[in-house]
Amino acid sequence: MNQLADVNSVAELEVDANKLIVAFASSDGEMVNQHFGSSLGFHVYAIDETTATPLAAKSFGKEQRDGNEEKLKPKLAWLTGCDMVYCGSVGGTATNELIKLGAHPVIVKGGPDIEEIIAELQQDISGAMSPLLERIFKQKSGKDQSRFAEMAEEEWAE
């Protein structure tokens, strides 16, 4: 078993741009069975067409449900750096905040197995990619490319 990283934010992890960083709202690490806002935990994987590596997991305490917008902040802060977040359901505020972070919320019903979702994502990555995955990978490579372009434009003095 890999040692999972203990990070303040998923963004702290060094992950290849060709890997998808996906979080799953799960109480047990086996299935997606949690609502985003009241999720007791998230499990994060780096996924490409052949591998799925567990990167990090974080537990969150039970929160009061309705009207407690503060409960989202620690989750959003920790999930910064994810490309996708799978959950049983997600409210409008959380959806907007996730999208601002560049993390696409994906709602799945019926508590699907995380392994099944990973297999579907791997099939999608290796085949004709869905428009969502194409957009995510374009954003990821764009971020890296623009950073290098900015560095190249800087004046270098010897």
Side-chain angles (χ1 to χ4, degrees), residues 5 16 25 28 57-58 61 65-66 82 86 93-94 117 137 139 155:
D16 281 346
D28 59 8
K58 183 156 177 83
R65 286 180 93 119
D66 294 325
C82 289
Y86 279 79
T93 303
I117 295 170
F137 280 113
Q139 281 176 341
E155 302 265 331

Side-chain angles (χ1 to χ4, degrees), residues 11 33 39 54 66 87 139 141 153:
N33 59 3
S39 181
D66 294 325
C87 46
Q139 281 176 341
S141 64
E153 287 168 14

